Amino acid sequence: MSSQVQKQVKQLDRVIIRFAGDSGDGMQLTGDRFTQESAVFGNDLVTLPNFPAEIRAPQGTLPGVSSFQVHFADHDILTAGDAPDVLVAMNPAALKANIGDLPKGATIIVDTHDFSARNLTKAGYDANPLDFIGDAGSELGEFAVHPVDLTGMTVEAVKEFGLSRKDAARAKNMFALGLLSWMYGRPTESTTAFLTKRFAKVPAIRDANITAFKAGWNFGETTEAFAVSYEIKPAPVSPGTYRNISGNLALAYGLVAAGVQSGLPVFLGSYPITPASDILHELSKHKAFGVTTFQAEDEIAGVGAAIGASFAGHLGVTTTSGPGIALKSEAIGLAVMTELPLLVVDVQRGGPSTGLPTKTEQADLLQAMFGRNGEAPVPIVAPQSPGDCFDAAIEAARIAITYRTPVMLLSDGYLANGSEPWRIPETAGLPVIEPSFATERNHVLKPEKVLEDGTVQPEEKDFWPYLRDEETLARPWAVPGTPGLEHRIGGLEKGEGHGNISYDPGNHDFMVRTRQAKVDRIAESLPPLEVDDPSGRAKVLVLGWGSTYGPIGAGVRRVRRAGYDVAQVHLRHLNPFPKDLGDILKRYDKVLVPEMNLGQLSMLLRAKYLVDAIGYNHVRGLPLKAAELAEAIGNLVADAEGITVDLTTSTVEEIS
């Protein structure tokens, strides 16, 4: 009687897996499929794709390594995780580039096929590290290493389909996905359906990938090399319909929703740039919602067309990254002067210049704030998570339309490419945005007059494009072609009210102050900030913005679970600041401001509120690490309260 391999199933509450290989090995697709399987299963999850900027980076080299990290759990999590529990390395370079991030005891699954002398040399190895597993001093000695010939087994599994060895080997990522899907009890139906649809026109490739995927699963089920599989139960969530969503996709959906909720056609004028291009790709699919997309010849043409669309009564949008903002700055100043609604989406990346196109950073805050000639104030809105990009886009549109101003929406590469489960909102719960177009003349030239013979001479009116709403200070938005509302606008200074060109010194001073006052007036419409201070006894406040929300939240959790008090506030509106921010800052002895820059928000807070904001700053092209941030918070708590802080009572699992 043949013996059946007995498999143990262990319960875990969370796992962090990183798939890593050459940039042609399909690691992004593999990670995305594992993420989709986990989303279908019902886990909470956060992802971190990390890939080279080159279209085809040098094969087998450290700069050419592409990775995809997914953190999934049976509870609410906030980050993609500081360190992987499992590394799947498809070649020597992937092992070399990622081994430094692994904690002791981590599992490493290595595809042995590509550990040739040539590839080892490319990766900087003098000898094959797999040959020394179990030896004293082995660099792999601290890890549970599983050398597996993934490529060889894949080629053998798909030989019936008559593919060349090169094409057959390309399915190795699906073999790896099948193996990991078995190890962590992932549902497989969605991946099988995906492969069936994706390669429908190439049956041999379709069948080879599906076969490789199933072969990987079966290998895990039958081999003695993997004696344990793991179960991570679904996370509890509030009722609703959920989907996995990336920040760029959520932002695109938010722009579509803003158009629907305002009744305005959306016009996107954009030039492709990493990491913002996906927004252009997605919006081009939504003509049915009145969305027009224009792929311009350059950045300046893209924003110019968007401003023209706004003048014509559309919701003008332009998408870019930091280098594009530099090119668009003069045109954004034109939108400030003409006081037209315009959404400027900056998906930030590492800089300056070309910088790190595929890595994240949030170093464009001061550029968004001040990066135009003259006094040219622009409101700034920043989402805090991939799903929040949807709501942030609607909020940015509300401000732009209501206050007749360009608005800067600051996302970043981590949010753009990362993903999380997102509860699809009920359309009835979305805010209605009223454009309130001008429909009639608004300025009395001559009042109504009763003549001596008793006849009434009606009043005469004309249209003044810079008469302002008393509440918002917004000027009227008159669609060209509206009878009687003919007017001119442009980049030269305007006379208050009538809007004709004016070089009067007093008028210029008045208009500069009025444009600033209009942006300041936005604060009147903002809700009070949410202060997360459960005990009410905290002396330290951690204040953040944008994608630092996850690492800050995870760091704060760890400090609290170790028994210490700390407060957290996260800003969505960076210009103007919420009205109650100053009072909140005064309540705390110490204010820590974590940022992926060298202290830009800290500088603004010091200037406006004279608070000694303490920066926690890293610009590594990666999200902040929650454990390191927790240590910084703990040190500040110790200083503020005059105590010794020990965070070792909080486990790694608790900080995520």
Side-chain angles (χ1 to χ4, degrees):
M1 187 173 68
S2 62
S3 62
Q4 177 71 32
V5 178
Q6 295 297 313
K7 299 288 187 176
Q8 180 185 358
V9 179
K10 275 189 181 178
Q11 294 283 338
L12 298 176
D13 64 355
R14 53 176 284 288
V15 175
I16 303 167
I17 298 175
R18 182 180 295 174
F19 298 92
D22 213 45
S23 60
D25 284 340
M27 293 298 95
Q28 300 305 312
L29 175 62
T30 306
D32 181 68
R33 291 317 313 162
F34 193 93
T35 300
Q36 298 298 338
E37 291 176 358
S38 299
V40 168
F41 189 74
N43 296 125
D44 195 17
L45 60 90
V46 182
T47 67
L48 174 62
N50 192 357
F51 45 86
E54 292 78 13
I55 294 173
R56 187 64 178 90
Q59 194 167 5
T61 64
L62 295 181
V65 172
S66 172
S67 69
F68 190 107
Q69 184 164 306
V70 55
H71 180 191
F72 59 106
D74 66 1
H75 57 278
D76 171 49
I77 56 174
L78 298 172
T79 76
D82 287 356
D85 304 303
V86 181
L87 171 66
V88 180
M90 305 300 280
N91 63 10
L95 180 63
K96 183 89 168 182
N98 291 283
I99 194 169
D101 293 338
L102 302 180
K104 285 184 180 180
T107 297
I108 304 176
I109 300 172
V110 186
D111 183 1
T112 59
H113 182 269
D114 280 345
F115 276 67
S116 63
R118 184 166 178 265
N119 285 336
L120 287 164
T121 301
K122 279 187 189 179
Y125 282 113
D126 297 325
N128 188 346
L130 302 181
D131 292 341
F132 302 98
I133 296 174
D135 292 0
S138 167
E139 66 175 301
L140 300 178
E142 296 180 332
F143 311 111
V145 183
H146 298 274
V148 181
D149 186 5
L150 297 175
T151 301
M153 286 191 287
T154 300
V155 171
E156 180 65 24
V158 304
K159 63 182 181 181
E160 65 181 282
F161 302 107
L163 300 175
S164 67
R165 181 174 177 84
K166 182 179 179 181
D167 284 343
R170 282 178 176 162
K172 64 185 178 183
N173 62 329
M174 288 299 108
F175 189 101
L177 177 61
L179 173 58
L180 269 293
S181 297
W182 170 81
M183 284 181 67
Y184 292 97
R186 304 293 88 187
T188 60
E189 295 80 4
S190 62
T191 293
T192 303
F194 169 82
L195 294 171
T196 301
K197 183 178 179 181
R198 176 157 184 162
F199 299 112
K201 295 182 179 179
V202 196
I205 299 293
R206 174 199 64 202
D207 295 342
N209 275 278
I210 293 173
T211 299
F213 176 61
K214 292 179 177 177
W217 176 284
N218 292 335
F219 174 72
E221 182 75 29
T222 57
T223 183
E224 296 184 10
F226 296 93
V228 181
S229 64
Y230 303 91
E231 183 180 16
I232 298 89
K233 293 185 180 298
V237 294
S238 54
T241 303
Y242 288 79
R243 60 157 297 162
N244 188 52
I245 200 164
S246 68
N248 274 347
L249 182 57
L251 202 153
Y253 286 174
L255 294 173
V256 173
V260 172
Q261 295 303 106
S262 63
L264 298 175
V266 174
F267 178 93
L268 174 67
S270 180
Y271 181 76
I273 184 171
T274 302
S277 300
D278 287 342
I279 303 171
L280 169 62
H281 301 159
E282 183 61 34
L283 285 179
S284 68
K285 304 173 185 176
H286 296 289
K287 295 177 184 177
F289 287 102
V291 178
T292 301
T293 51
F294 168 53
Q295 182 174 321
E297 64 268 30
D298 56 42
E299 296 281 3
I300 298 171
V303 67
I307 294 171
S310 289
F311 178 55
H314 291 224
L315 177 56
V317 184
T318 191
T319 53
T320 188
S321 189
I325 295 294
L327 292 165
K328 295 177 191 289
S329 61
E330 183 183 6
I332 297 170
L334 174 63
V336 171
M337 178 64 83
T338 54
E339 300 188 45
L340 287 168
L342 175 70
L343 295 187
V344 182
V345 178
D346 177 4
V347 185
Q348 300 165 94
R349 70 191 208 187
S353 187
T354 308
L356 303 173
T358 60
K359 312 301 181 185
T360 194
E361 204 162 281
Q362 48 178 186
D364 293 352
L365 177 56
L366 294 183
Q367 180 179 218
M369 192 80 181
F370 303 118
R372 295 160 295 282
N373 65 297
E375 295 284 349
V378 169
I380 303 171
V381 175
Q384 66 186 28
S385 68
D388 189 49
C389 289
F390 176 86
D391 298 300
I394 295 176
E395 171 64 0
R398 179 194 71 84
I399 293 172
I401 293 167
T402 304
Y403 293 88
R404 315 293 196 237
T405 177
V407 175
M408 198 79 71
L409 182 56
L410 292 184
S411 179
D412 64 44
Y414 177 38
L415 297 183
N417 295 318
S419 64
E420 66 177 354
W422 176 62
R423 183 181 177 183
I424 300 172
E426 298 290 337
T427 54
L430 299 178
V432 175
I433 306 170
E434 181 50 64
S436 301
F437 287 119
T439 56
E440 56 187 27
R441 296 173 178 177
N442 60 357
H443 174 255
V444 178
L445 276 174
K446 294 180 181 179
E448 182 182 282
K449 184 178 181 181
V450 180
L451 302 179
E452 292 181 359
D453 61 2
T455 59
V456 178
Q457 187 178 54
E459 69 176 5
E460 293 182 26
K461 283 187 170 183
D462 61 358
F463 178 65
W464 279 22
Y466 281 81
L467 276 182
R468 299 183 182 276
D469 180 275
E470 291 184 3
E471 180 182 348
T472 63
L473 297 182
R475 76 171 188 86
W477 190 6
V479 177
T482 306
L485 305 190
E486 298 81 2
H487 63 286
R488 70 172 67 87
I489 59 172
L492 289 168
E493 183 60 281
K494 304 292 175 289
E496 169 61 10
H498 57 74
N500 293 326
I501 294 169
S502 173
Y503 295 103
D504 178 74
N507 176 78
H508 177 58
D509 183 272
F510 179 81
M511 291 294 279
V512 166
R513 294 177 188 277
T514 301
R515 286 188 287 265
Q516 181 63 58
K518 181 179 72 170
V519 171
D520 293 341
R521 193 71 63 90
I522 294 167
E524 301 291 334
S525 71
L526 304 182
L529 282 169
E530 294 183 12
V531 182
D532 181 17
D533 185 359
S535 70
R537 299 187 301 269
K539 293 185 177 181
V540 171
L541 170 68
V542 186
L543 180 69
W545 69 279
S547 67
T548 58
Y549 173 77
I552 290 172
V556 165
R557 280 183 183 179
R558 182 176 193 186
V559 173
R560 287 178 183 163
R561 285 173 176 162
Y564 306 101
D565 298 317
V566 61
Q568 180 185 357
V569 169
H570 210 75
L571 297 177
R572 163 170 283 178
H573 299 90
L574 297 156
N575 190 34
F577 287 128
K579 289 194 304 179
D580 54 346
L581 178 57
D583 290 336
I584 291 169
L585 293 172
K586 291 175 184 175
R587 296 182 210 163
Y588 296 93
D589 295 351
K590 304 280 186 182
V591 178
L592 183 68
V593 184
E595 300 181 78
M596 292 186 292
N597 58 48
L598 294 184
Q600 298 186 14
L601 177 58
S602 296
M603 182 187 296
L604 295 176
L605 295 171
R606 291 191 193 105
K608 186 170 180 65
Y609 300 108
L610 302 181
V611 62
D612 183 20
I614 300 166
Y616 176 87
N617 307 105
H618 288 288
V619 279
R620 300 180 289 202
L622 293 167
L624 301 179
K625 290 186 178 293
E628 294 175 0
L629 180 52
E631 289 295 327
I633 297 169
N635 291 338
L636 206 56
V637 170
D639 185 38
E641 300 188 14
I643 60 174
T644 300
V645 169
D646 179 9
L647 299 183
T648 57
T649 55
S650 178
T651 65
V652 172
E653 284 80 358
E654 290 175 322
I655 71 167
S656 305

